[in-house]
Each structure stands twice: as C-alpha cells, then as structure tokens.
Amino acid sequence: MVTVPLPEEQCRLIEELEPRLELVRDHSLVHPARWPADWSGDPDHVRTAEQQAAFDAMVDSADVLFGIPDVDAAALARTVRANPALRWVMTTAAGGGASVKAAGLDRAELDRVVFTTSAGVHGGTLAEFSVFAVLAGAKGLPRLLADQRTRTWPNRWQMRQLDEMTVLVVGLGGIGSECARRFHALGATVWGTTRSGEPVEGVDRLIPLSELTDAVAHVDAMVVTLPGTEQTHHLIGADVLAAVKPGLILTNVGRGTVVDEAALLTALDDGRVAFAGLDVFEHEPLDEQSPLWSHPRVLVSPHTAAINANEEERIARRFADNAARLLDGRPLRAVVDTVEFY
C-alpha cells in the first residue's frame, strides 16, 4: 500500500522492477504533493470522514507500506496495532528511525514489523551541498555578497584552498561516505569518525568517535552527517566547539539535534567557527527569532539540500529492491535499529 503521494509513474516503475508485488494505491486518498518528494503532502488538505475510513482500511489491509501514512507517527502506531499482518514499513526519509521512535511502539510491535529507511539515497545531493558549504566558507561567500550589495571593491584578500585543507566527516554512513569521496576527489585530506573501524574509500584517517574532541583541533572543516538519536544529541556541543582549530568551517546535513545551536553561536561569535552552512536545525522550521537567520557567517538552507528531481525515482527503486529481497528471503537494506532508532 502506497501511503504517501508517490507519482503514478514511480508506482508503475516499482511494478515493473518487482512484478511479484501487488502495489495498491489510490491517489485521491493521499494528501497532494506541493513539490517533488513532498511526502507529507499539503497540510491544508483534509479528507472527508468517508475518505479517511477508506484510507485507513487500505492501509490496514497491507502486508507492506511504502511510506509512513501521512508521515505521521501516530498514524503509524495506529496501523501497526490494527494490522497484525503488517510485515514491513519503508520510510521515505533517510532519518525515518525518528518517526518510528515517535510512534511509541512496544518491543513486541517493533520486533514484529521490519522498518527500513531511504538512507543512502540522498547521499549524492547532500554530499554536493557539503562541498558547496565548505567552499562557501573557504572562499568567503558572506564577504563577497556583502561587498557586492554595497558595491564595494576592497583590497584583494586571501582565500583558502580546499586541497590544502583537512576535512573531518562526522559519520561515515551512506551520506558521509559520499561526502568523503567528493572531498577526496577535490584534493582535500579526509578524516572520518567511525564506530566499526572499517576502511572507507577516500578517507585518509579513521577517528574513533571517542576521540572527536581531540581530532577537531587539527581539522579545517567539519561535515556532520549523523542521524538524530539519544546518543548523538548535541554531540557537537560546547566541549567539541571549544576544542576546534580556530577558523573551522562547519556544515550539518545530518540532523539538527546533533549540533548544539547555542554553543555554535558562541563559537561563531568568538571566531572559532569561521562559517557554518546548515541544512538542518534543532527545531524546524527555524524560528523567526533565531539569531542564525541574521548571523553574518551563517548560511541557512531550509532542509532542502536533499531534494532533487530524481529523488522519487531513487526511493522507488530502493523500495523495489528491498521488496525483492523480502520476497526472496534476503536481508533488507537500511533496516532501522529499533534500540537506537537510526
């Protein structure tokens, strides 16, 4: 059952890729998308009582769900409890574990249903944003824009060069690995944090996460790609930011809760962090009163760096691949850890 606004073209693609699957959908019952990959749909769209009943009945009849219904944790909890036949739910978000956690399912329910995410599908687009953000800091984009607005032609000044920089990728999962590959290709020295200790292409040095505070004193840029969990909450906090090499460039394309924004603002104000390019925030939308909006060395991106015209197709292909794995009894990709929820 397709529970989110997936275009018919992508529904047919799934059926072509995995013809053993019966893909049920009714586009009139999902909230209409406002733009590509708008999985939650228009919040102003309201189903009639009859439409809601029909939608719930379809959801509750499925063995598998493409998407969390309406991207709503409460709706996920409702259908898990109403449908004992439900076997697998694929979230359209790479960080879908957070929604699974928010559903408040008990251990028996979490063990009965397999949850997967689209982790890795957005790796390329987020890695490109990371490169863009680090280059924006290295080349002084805020200064260039300020001078352009005031038609100021200053004395020439020095820019930093990426192939002379050390970039630390915090989290070498699907997104982090893509970041490492691109920074390596551009000549940077790449370090990356690891839990497994397994080598990653393009990474010159692996850093145990326990040594993060020591490592940041030696890097020029830090790229944060971690999911939002209890273990990663404010991992990039006052202690880490106090230890950074002055002039650090920071970008976050993981989850906003990983970076302590109050501590980041302090580090920006005293110059330890020279520039921050942020696609994610602790609370979204970013509050109108947040000083991040107007800070002269912050680039605010409204959690849009992952959006791409091909995102829907990539997620549809991931779903079809995992459907084949499920039917063939093979392990699924990007399974949610239902203890740490990433």
Side-chain angles (χ1 to χ4, degrees):
M1 168 65 187
V2 178
T3 71
V4 291
L6 181 68
E8 179 61 22
E9 177 185 2
Q10 306 309 332
C11 293
R12 292 195 298 269
L13 174 63
I14 292 170
E15 291 174 323
E16 292 170 7
L17 293 171
E18 184 40 79
R20 293 175 293 175
L21 199 67
E22 179 187 357
L23 194 71
V24 179
R25 68 271 195 186
D26 185 335
H27 300 299
S28 69
L29 294 180
V30 297
H31 300 314
R34 295 159 291 177
W35 48 74
D38 179 25
W39 302 114
S40 56
D42 187 349
D44 294 329
H45 177 263
V46 179
R47 299 184 187 96
T48 66
E50 292 78 8
Q51 288 174 325
Q52 187 65 52
F55 180 76
D56 290 345
M58 290 180 67
V59 170
D60 294 349
S61 68
D63 300 294
V64 169
L65 300 182
F66 179 101
I68 291 175
D70 300 333
V71 196
D72 180 358
L76 174 62
R78 188 207 63 77
T79 193
V80 168
R81 289 163 184 156
N83 181 4
L86 185 63
R87 301 172 60 190
W88 167 40
V89 177
M90 175 174 162
T91 75
T92 50
S99 295
V100 177
K101 180 180 180 181
L105 302 171
D106 63 31
R107 176 44 53 191
E109 291 163 340
L110 291 169
D111 290 343
R112 173 168 60 86
V113 181
V114 176
F115 301 92
T116 67
T117 74
S118 64
V121 166
H122 309 90
T125 51
L126 293 176
E128 287 193 5
F129 180 87
S130 298
V131 171
F132 161 70
V134 171
L135 283 172
K139 304 305 180 184
L141 179 63
R143 180 175 179 176
L144 292 170
L145 291 175
D147 286 346
Q148 182 175 344
R149 280 192 292 267
T150 59
R151 303 191 179 197
T152 299
W153 187 278
N155 291 328
R156 298 173 71 187
W157 46 277
Q158 180 176 314
M159 293 183 177
R160 299 161 77 177
Q161 192 163 320
L162 192 56
D163 65 5
E164 297 175 349
M165 297 172 65
T166 297
V167 178
L168 172 63
V169 180
V170 183
L172 289 172
I175 297 168
S177 297
E178 289 294 321
C179 290
R181 189 164 65 85
R182 282 164 172 76
F183 281 108
H184 176 79
L186 290 169
T189 298
V190 181
W191 294 4
T193 65
T194 178
R195 299 173 70 178
S196 68
E198 294 294 324
V200 175
E201 180 185 356
V203 178
D204 300 288
R205 179 180 173 185
L206 294 172
I207 306 293
L209 202 54
S210 60
E211 298 178 11
L212 176 63
T213 303
D214 295 329
V216 295
H218 306 285
V219 302
D220 303 290
M222 178 162 52
V223 178
V224 181
T225 72
L226 292 173
T229 68
E230 291 181 6
Q231 289 71 30
T232 64
H233 182 78
H234 284 187
L235 177 69
I236 311 301
D239 290 346
V240 170
L241 293 170
V244 300
K245 180 180 179 180
L248 179 86
I249 298 168
L250 172 71
T251 182
N252 188 6
V253 294
R255 280 295 177 265
T257 54
V258 180
V259 176
D260 182 340
E261 289 174 4
L264 173 60
L265 282 163
T266 299
L268 283 159
D269 290 340
D270 68 22
R272 283 172 292 151
V273 174
F275 178 82
L278 307 173
D279 184 54
V280 290
F281 301 88
E282 291 193 63
H283 302 285
E284 298 181 2
L286 183 62
D287 190 278
E288 291 182 5
Q289 304 306 313
S290 171
L292 291 170
W293 282 112
S294 57
H295 199 286
R297 287 181 285 110
V298 173
L299 176 67
V300 171
S301 170
H303 202 153
T304 198
I307 304 301
N308 175 270
N310 294 321
E311 179 183 357
E312 293 165 334
E313 180 181 339
R314 289 197 298 267
I315 292 177
R317 288 182 179 278
R318 165 65 65 83
F319 179 76
D321 175 69
N322 260 349
R325 290 169 177 266
L326 182 72
L327 290 166
D328 293 337
R330 293 182 287 136
L332 274 62
R333 300 173 62 189
V335 175
V336 173
D337 180 323
T338 56
V339 175
E340 297 189 17
F341 293 96
Y342 70 87

